[in-house]
Amino acid sequence: MPLSNAIAASASALDAQRARIEVAVSNIANAESTRGPDGTPYRRRDVVLQSEPLGFDGELGRAEAIGVRVEDIVVDQAEFRRRYEPSHPDADAEGFVAMPNVDVPEEMVDMLGATRAYQANLTAINLIRDTIQRALELGR
Protein backbone atom coordinates (compact mmCIF):
# COMPACT_ATOMS: atom_id res chain seq x y z
CA MET A 1 0.00 0.00 0.00
CA PRO A 2 1.47 3.36 -0.94
CA LEU A 3 2.14 5.56 2.04
CA SER A 4 0.04 8.33 0.52
CA ASN A 5 -3.03 6.08 0.80
CA ALA A 6 -2.23 5.39 4.45
CA ILE A 7 -2.00 9.13 5.09
CA ALA A 8 -5.27 9.67 3.22
CA ALA A 9 -6.98 7.00 5.36
CA SER A 10 -5.83 8.66 8.57
CA ALA A 11 -6.71 12.11 7.23
CA SER A 12 -10.25 10.93 6.44
CA ALA A 13 -10.50 9.63 10.00
CA LEU A 14 -9.42 13.04 11.31
CA ASP A 15 -12.34 14.64 9.47
CA ALA A 16 -14.76 12.02 10.77
CA GLN A 17 -13.62 12.38 14.38
CA ARG A 18 -13.79 16.17 14.13
CA ALA A 19 -17.43 15.82 13.05
CA ARG A 20 -18.13 13.50 16.00
CA ILE A 21 -16.61 16.03 18.39
CA GLU A 22 -18.60 18.91 16.89
CA VAL A 23 -21.88 16.99 17.16
CA ALA A 24 -21.16 15.99 20.78
CA VAL A 25 -20.36 19.61 21.65
CA SER A 26 -23.61 20.73 20.04
CA ASN A 27 -25.55 18.10 21.97
CA ILE A 28 -23.98 19.19 25.28
CA ALA A 29 -24.55 22.86 24.52
CA ASN A 30 -28.25 22.19 23.92
CA ALA A 31 -28.84 19.75 26.79
CA GLU A 32 -31.12 22.30 28.49
CA SER A 33 -32.72 23.84 25.37
CA THR A 34 -36.44 23.35 25.92
CA ARG A 35 -37.61 25.28 22.89
CA GLY A 36 -36.10 25.33 19.42
CA PRO A 37 -37.19 27.13 16.25
CA ASP A 38 -40.01 24.62 15.81
CA GLY A 39 -41.19 25.10 19.41
CA THR A 40 -40.03 21.68 20.62
CA PRO A 41 -36.99 20.75 22.73
CA TYR A 42 -33.66 20.05 21.09
CA ARG A 43 -33.19 16.49 19.84
CA ARG A 44 -29.85 14.74 20.18
CA ARG A 45 -27.87 14.22 16.98
CA ASP A 46 -25.52 11.39 16.11
CA VAL A 47 -22.93 10.88 13.39
CA VAL A 48 -23.17 7.90 11.03
CA LEU A 49 -19.80 6.88 9.60
CA GLN A 50 -19.18 4.77 6.50
CA SER A 51 -16.04 3.16 5.16
CA GLU A 52 -14.66 4.54 1.92
CA PRO A 53 -12.08 2.93 -0.40
CA LEU A 54 -9.24 5.35 -1.12
CA GLY A 55 -7.32 3.58 -3.84
CA PHE A 56 -7.85 0.55 -6.01
CA ASP A 57 -5.30 -2.12 -6.90
CA GLY A 58 -6.34 -3.38 -10.33
CA GLU A 59 -4.08 -6.45 -10.17
CA LEU A 60 -5.47 -7.63 -6.85
CA GLY A 61 -8.97 -6.31 -7.48
CA ARG A 62 -9.30 -4.69 -4.08
CA ALA A 63 -9.02 -1.39 -2.29
CA GLU A 64 -5.49 -0.34 -1.33
CA ALA A 65 -6.68 1.56 1.72
CA ILE A 66 -9.99 2.08 3.44
CA GLY A 67 -10.84 5.47 4.87
CA VAL A 68 -13.95 6.74 6.57
CA ARG A 69 -16.43 9.48 5.84
CA VAL A 70 -19.47 11.01 7.48
CA GLU A 71 -22.46 9.37 5.82
CA ASP A 72 -25.11 11.32 7.71
CA ILE A 73 -25.97 13.16 10.88
CA VAL A 74 -29.18 11.69 12.23
CA VAL A 75 -31.65 13.03 14.77
CA ASP A 76 -32.33 10.74 17.73
CA GLN A 77 -36.08 10.14 17.97
CA ALA A 78 -35.98 8.90 21.58
CA GLU A 79 -38.57 10.34 23.95
CA PHE A 80 -37.87 13.65 25.64
CA ARG A 81 -37.02 13.54 29.32
CA ARG A 82 -39.57 15.12 31.66
CA ARG A 83 -38.63 17.27 34.60
CA TYR A 84 -40.97 18.68 37.19
CA GLU A 85 -40.51 22.45 37.16
CA PRO A 86 -43.90 24.20 37.40
CA SER A 87 -42.43 27.71 37.27
CA HIS A 88 -40.72 27.10 33.91
CA PRO A 89 -42.34 28.96 30.97
CA ASP A 90 -42.48 25.70 28.94
CA ALA A 91 -44.13 23.66 31.71
CA ASP A 92 -47.31 21.79 30.83
CA ALA A 93 -50.52 21.88 32.89
CA GLU A 94 -49.08 19.29 35.30
CA GLY A 95 -45.87 21.32 35.83
CA PHE A 96 -43.58 19.09 33.76
CA VAL A 97 -41.13 20.43 31.20
CA ALA A 98 -40.08 18.36 28.17
CA MET A 99 -36.28 18.30 28.20
CA PRO A 100 -33.93 17.33 25.36
CA ASN A 101 -33.10 13.64 24.99
CA VAL A 102 -29.41 14.38 25.65
CA ASP A 103 -27.46 12.46 28.29
CA VAL A 104 -24.48 14.71 29.07
CA PRO A 105 -22.24 11.95 30.54
CA GLU A 106 -22.85 9.82 27.43
CA GLU A 107 -21.91 12.77 25.22
CA MET A 108 -18.74 13.32 27.24
CA VAL A 109 -17.77 9.66 26.71
CA ASP A 110 -18.47 9.97 22.97
CA MET A 111 -16.38 13.12 22.81
CA LEU A 112 -13.52 11.49 24.71
CA GLY A 113 -13.58 8.49 22.34
CA ALA A 114 -13.56 10.77 19.30
CA THR A 115 -10.69 12.79 20.77
CA ARG A 116 -8.63 9.64 21.39
CA ALA A 117 -9.30 8.39 17.85
CA TYR A 118 -8.33 11.81 16.47
CA GLN A 119 -5.05 11.71 18.43
CA ALA A 120 -4.31 8.15 17.26
CA ASN A 121 -4.78 9.09 13.61
CA LEU A 122 -2.65 12.20 14.02
CA THR A 123 0.08 10.03 15.54
CA ALA A 124 -0.19 7.64 12.58
CA ILE A 125 0.22 10.50 10.10
CA ASN A 126 3.26 11.80 11.99
CA LEU A 127 4.79 8.30 12.08
CA ILE A 128 4.36 7.91 8.31
CA ARG A 129 5.84 11.37 7.74
CA ASP A 130 8.85 10.52 9.92
CA THR A 131 9.32 7.22 8.06
CA ILE A 132 9.33 9.03 4.73
CA GLN A 133 11.84 11.61 6.02
CA ARG A 134 14.18 8.88 7.29
CA ALA A 135 13.94 7.03 3.97
CA LEU A 136 14.86 10.24 2.13
CA GLU A 137 17.82 10.79 4.46
CA LEU A 138 19.05 7.25 3.79
CA GLY A 139 18.84 7.92 0.05
CA ARG A 140 21.26 10.84 0.21
Side-chain angles (χ1 to χ4, degrees):
M1 168 185 359
L3 292 177
S4 61
N5 285 344
I7 290 174
S10 286
S12 72
L14 291 176
D15 288 338
Q17 300 311 321
R18 179 194 45 78
R20 285 183 59 208
I21 292 168
E22 288 175 354
V23 168
V25 167
S26 176
N27 288 339
I28 291 170
N30 287 288
E32 297 289 320
S33 298
T34 59
R35 189 181 321 156
D38 62 354
T40 63
Y42 176 83
R43 286 200 176 271
R44 179 181 183 275
R45 278 131 177 91
D46 202 7
V47 177
V48 177
L49 301 177
Q50 181 172 342
S51 62
E52 178 177 53
L54 296 174
F56 190 76
D57 186 339
E59 291 178 16
L60 296 177
R62 66 176 185 192
E64 292 178 341
I66 304 292
V68 65
R69 68 180 173 85
V70 174
E71 172 70 17
D72 197 8
I73 297 177
V74 296
V75 177
D76 187 346
Q77 295 300 319
E79 293 293 320
F80 293 122
R81 295 178 295 126
R82 288 174 39 104
R83 181 167 67 193
Y84 184 70
E85 198 173 326
S87 62
H88 194 284
D90 292 328
D92 62 15
E94 297 172 356
F96 286 95
V97 178
M99 299 299 293
N101 57 351
V102 175
D103 182 17
V104 174
E106 180 181 334
E107 296 302 323
M108 293 297 291
V109 169
D110 285 350
M111 192 169 21
L112 182 60
T115 302
R116 300 287 174 150
Y118 188 94
Q119 291 169 341
N121 282 288
L122 196 55
T123 299
I125 289 172
N126 287 333
L127 181 64
I128 294 167
R129 185 198 63 197
D130 292 346
T131 301
I132 292 170
Q133 284 179 334
R134 286 190 184 124
L136 290 173
E137 289 171 6
L138 288 174
R140 288 185 200 177

